[in-house]
Amino acid sequence: MRKLELKFLNTEGKVVTYSVDHPTEPVNSETIQEAMDTILRENAFYSTGGDLTEIHSARIVERTVEEIEL
């Protein structure tokens, strides 16, 4: 499964990560930037370390699971 991870810094300077399952493909960096800017501007999320203060990064993470027969 692929996930889009949006990473922000909070007031304490810690990285806060929000994940979006099954992001729209292909990923558009401009759209992601706009969405992250909106999240900051609207103060849409809160973390235990305080408000989100700036964008840190974004990335696609893919996880592969292989079952083992026993």
Side-chain angles (χ1 to χ4, degrees):
M1 172 178 23
R2 290 171 64 90
K3 290 185 177 191
L4 170 62
E5 289 188 348
L6 307 176
K7 296 181 172 280
F8 299 89
L9 292 178
N10 64 15
T11 336
E12 291 182 350
K14 294 182 181 176
V15 177
V16 178
T17 304
Y18 296 98
S19 296
V20 178
D21 292 342
H22 309 291
T24 303
E25 302 277 353
V27 175
N28 182 314
S29 61
E30 290 178 14
T31 303
I32 293 170
Q33 178 74 49
E34 290 172 10
M36 293 179 82
D37 286 340
T38 301
I39 289 168
L40 286 178
R41 185 176 53 254
E42 300 292 327
N43 201 21
F45 298 116
Y46 180 81
S47 73
T48 55
D51 291 339
L52 304 179
T53 57
E54 64 183 271
I55 293 171
H56 181 271
S57 60
R59 65 184 184 176
I60 292 288
V61 175
E62 189 166 0
R63 179 176 172 223
T64 304
V65 177
E66 183 178 335
E67 295 291 330
I68 300 172
E69 289 245 5
L70 301 175

